[in-house]
Amino acid sequence: MNFSLTEEQDIAVDSFARFLQAEIKPIVDQYRGEKIPKKAMQKALKLLLPYGMGNGLVAEKFGGYGFDEVTIGLLFEQLAMVSPDISVMILIQMEVGMLLANAPTQIRDSHLAPLLEGDLIGCIGISEPDVGSNISEIKTHAKQDGEDWLISGEKCWISNGHYSDFIVVVSKGENGAASGLALFVVDRDMGYTSANIEKMGLNGQSTAQVFFDQVRVPAERMIAPPGQGLKTMLTLLQGSRPLVGLMAVAVAQCALNESISYAQERKQFGKVIAANQLIQARIADMSIRIEASRLLLYKALDHVHRGLRSDLQAAQAKLFATEAAVEVTRHALAIHGGNGITLEFPVQDLYRIAPILTVTEGTAEMQKLIIGRILLGVAAF
Ligand SMILES: Cc1cc2nc3c(=O)[nH]c(=O)nc-3n(C[C@H](O)[C@H](O)[C@H](O)COP(=O)(O)OP(=O)(O)OC[C@H]3O[C@@H](n4cnc5c(N)ncnc54)[C@H](O)[C@@H]3O)c2cc1C
């Protein structure tokens, strides 16, 4: 076991953290409290690409940087500390890149190459108004019409949805004997539309509904045939769930940093509140949850990197880290007293982001059920 970073990782994290303060934080500050417009989001994306954020997970032979998952995690955690919103956009770009790297050459040329250059923003459409945890019950359907497919349905909660130039959409496909979930790459100009959803947090980026009304899609846009789409998505989630967990770590770490500074300055009863044992107990609890989350998450990413089956580790780590962030941000709010609930202090923002992370890419309950299924050998869902 080696818990140290390599020299390269140390240097990469350090220089990336400095770059984030110099180049990305000004964009974040400019749009604080607003949705970051697509142009500014794309500017951030292009600035981040030289650090592997957006292109780092795709192998070099396909035009990416081919970084290992642990290094990506280290950099991603830094980014999420500066901007959880931009980190969502980057996470989705990386996930789309992984899907397209396994697509036919034609799609790699037309979509993966510009995605990795930051010229196209992609998104992934699985969830629907009536379909969340029960992914196999997807209603959006693709019907064959001559050489083309006609896609109809509605997707919900789609990160990057309103920014997107194209979507990788999961549809129920019917194609002679084969049926089941298929994946299609659909361009916005083929006819899908989108509308943003306002949430309790993470409103700097786009979470959107996406609508398909008989959208005509050529056959070569199918990147997983009926029956293969679900497996492809579930494999992708093994690598991406730990990154959602690292967003939770970043949120929690910011809450801890804010709480330490506040406790060292705020005076009550003639002394700084940091000198109270009950405040110290909160700080200790927060720090332990964050550190334990990190260890679980980097272990999961190491599993993914080594090509091992990682669904158990990913679910354990994502569940623990996201629930830890909810607890840590609750402590942070308490340490800040009345100031904590004012918009002037950042902890209320962090407190509103943390629960969102327990839902996205599979709820806390579903992570428990995945863990239970693997350990007990019987599915309870
Ligand atoms: C910010 C954000 C971004 C997202 N981005 C994307 C995206 O880019 N693409 C995409 O496709 N989706 C995205 N999602 C959707 C996300 O994956 C779903 O919200 C999630 O899977 C839960 O689905 P649901 O909201 O329909 O909840 P439901 O499945 O309806 O669940 C409701 C509640 O019931 C519980 N529950 C459900 N089934 C069981 C069971 N068998 N046993 C016990 N409890 C159960 C759940 O845990 C939850 O507490 C995003 C969501 C959010 C909030």
Side-chain angles (χ1 to χ4, degrees):
M1 256 181 248
N2 183 354
F3 291 102
S4 324
L5 303 189
T6 64
E7 198 183 335
E8 289 82 8
Q9 286 170 334
D10 247 337
I11 293 168
V13 169
D14 188 53
S15 68
F16 187 53
R18 278 187 277 114
F19 154 82
L20 289 170
Q21 289 303 318
E23 303 288 342
I24 299 299
K25 190 155 179 300
I27 300 176
V28 175
D29 289 342
Q30 187 180 350
Y31 295 103
R32 203 167 287 285
E34 297 171 33
K35 187 149 330 291
I36 303 174
K38 179 171 179 177
K39 210 169 158 195
M41 203 51 121
Q42 211 151 2
K43 179 182 169 194
L45 170 61
K46 290 202 176 219
L47 286 168
L48 287 161
L49 286 171
Y51 291 87
M53 292 287 93
N55 54 0
L57 283 175
V58 173
E60 282 179 277
K61 65 178 173 185
F62 297 131
Y65 281 10
F67 285 0
D68 68 274
E69 281 77 1
V70 174
T71 302
I72 287 290
L74 292 165
L75 300 176
F76 187 73
E77 184 188 332
Q78 294 296 319
L79 172 62
M81 281 187 70
V82 173
S83 174
D85 292 289
I86 295 176
S87 73
V88 173
M89 179 274 293
I90 289 292
L91 174 64
I92 302 300
Q93 289 290 96
M94 293 202 283
E95 291 182 27
V96 174
M98 295 300 283
L99 287 173
L100 298 189
N102 294 311
T105 318
Q106 197 182 337
I107 297 288
R108 289 209 301 268
D109 292 344
S110 60
H111 288 74
L112 180 59
L115 183 94
L116 297 178
E117 292 294 321
D119 293 328
L120 291 181
I121 293 189
C123 65
I124 299 177
I126 309 170
S127 309
E128 302 181 353
D130 294 331
V131 179
S133 306
N134 55 340
I135 169 171
S136 60
E137 291 168 24
I138 277 172
K139 291 180 180 161
T140 296
H141 60 272
K143 206 167 182 291
Q144 222 165 1
D145 185 52
E147 290 294 291
D148 301 333
W149 292 81
L150 291 176
I151 301 182
S152 293
E154 182 181 334
K155 294 292 175 183
C156 199
W157 312 114
I158 308 308
S159 304
N160 279 1
H162 205 50
Y163 295 133
S164 67
D165 300 297
F166 72 94
I167 181 168
V168 180
V169 64
V170 186
S171 312
K172 195 155 268 179
E174 281 162 36
N175 178 10
S179 68
L181 297 180
L183 302 184
F184 294 87
V185 174
V186 183
D187 296 338
R188 184 175 284 274
D189 62 16
M190 288 173 171
Y192 75 78
T193 55
S194 58
N196 276 324
I197 301 167
E198 293 310 308
K199 312 175 295 295
M200 64 192 275
L202 281 178
N203 280 313
Q205 53 84 51
S206 162
T207 309
Q209 294 167 281
V210 179
F211 307 96
F212 296 82
D213 183 9
Q214 300 269 310
V215 175
R216 182 169 291 278
V217 180
E220 62 269 19
R221 292 306 189 87
M222 188 164 70
I223 60 167
Q228 292 296 311
L230 184 59
K231 191 169 165 237
T232 307
M233 281 301 169
L234 294 180
T235 307
L236 182 75
L237 290 172
Q238 291 186 20
S240 61
R241 280 190 178 136
L243 294 176
V244 176
L246 283 172
M247 284 183 63
V249 163
V251 164
Q253 184 68 56
C254 288
L256 176 60
N257 295 350
E258 293 293 332
S259 300
I260 290 173
S261 304
Y262 190 82
Q264 287 171 334
E265 276 179 24
R266 174 76 177 170
K267 284 193 179 137
Q268 291 290 290
F269 299 100
K271 60 181 183 188
V272 289
I273 60 170
N276 291 301
Q277 290 180 349
L278 291 179
I279 295 286
Q280 296 207 355
R282 284 192 195 274
I283 296 288
D285 183 271
M286 293 159 86
S287 72
I288 293 164
R289 285 174 200 262
I290 293 169
E291 202 50 27
S293 300
R294 270 203 191 96
L295 291 174
L296 283 169
L297 289 160
Y298 285 111
K299 184 181 170 196
L301 286 173
D302 182 57
H303 259 249
V304 176
H305 171 57
R306 287 191 286 134
L308 303 172
R309 181 179 163 175
S310 310
D311 47 356
L312 174 65
Q313 291 74 13
Q316 288 172 328
K318 196 256 177 186
L319 171 66
F320 188 88
T322 52
E323 293 206 324
V326 173
E327 270 301 288
V328 168
T329 54
R330 190 180 62 79
H331 281 310
L333 217 59
I335 289 171
H336 282 72
N339 281 331
I341 57 161
T342 65
L343 299 186
E344 268 175 59
F345 285 78
V347 284
Q348 45 75 32
D349 202 19
L350 302 167
Y351 179 75
R352 285 183 282 110
I353 293 173
I356 298 175
L357 302 174
T358 67
V359 176
T360 183
E361 305 225 358
T363 63
E365 291 73 21
M366 292 315 292
Q367 304 313 305
K368 280 184 193 156
L369 293 175
I370 291 167
I371 296 164
R373 183 181 60 187
I374 296 167
L375 297 182
L376 294 161
V378 50
F381 63 100

